[in-house]
Amino acid sequence: MPFYEHVYLARQDLAPAQVEGLTEALTALIAEHKGKVASTEYWGLRSLAYRIRKNRKAHYVLMNIEAPATAVAELERQVALNEDIIRWQTVRVDALEIEGSAMVKKSDKDRSGRSRGRDEGGW
């Protein structure tokens, strides 16, 4: 089965629990169509580069999917009908990320106390 990365942006006025419920509903939809969601990552409430439907921020979610093309087509159809999701993008990839996306690695690096641009050895 092919692999996909699906990122969606949910409205800023949703609670994180509601965004998690959206993700669970989309995961169930993929499972109904004989696919599986290998992993999901909630990137948090982040600022947008420009306003989208009067929203200045959005909840970002990444889903790594292994599913047939028909399942992904149905996923995109359902996402297009959902008013809580303001943008989405699905990309077919050769292999799924095992250790996490660049966004997760970046947030882990920021939390570790190191500032950006400094080497581990320091000055």
Side-chain angles (χ1 to χ4, degrees), residues 44-86:
L45 184 65
R46 304 178 57 86
S47 296
L48 298 171
Y50 54 89
R51 288 174 52 155
I52 301 172
R53 296 188 203 162
K54 300 182 182 178
N55 291 288
R56 293 188 182 276
K57 294 184 175 193
H59 296 274
Y60 285 65
V61 178
L62 168 72
M63 299 171 68
N64 289 319
I65 301 170
E66 181 180 354
T70 56
V72 175
E74 179 62 20
L75 171 73
E76 289 182 339
R77 189 183 78 78
Q78 292 292 328
V79 167
L81 295 173
N82 194 327
E83 293 181 359
D84 290 334
I85 298 175
I86 56 176

Side-chain angles (χ1 to χ4, degrees), residues 1 7 32-33 37 43 56 60 71 82 85 89 94-95 107 122:
M1 269 192 274
V7 178
E32 285 176 19
H33 289 86
V37 176
W43 293 344
R56 293 188 182 276
Y60 285 65
N82 194 327
I85 298 175
Q89 183 174 18
D94 293 330
S107 67

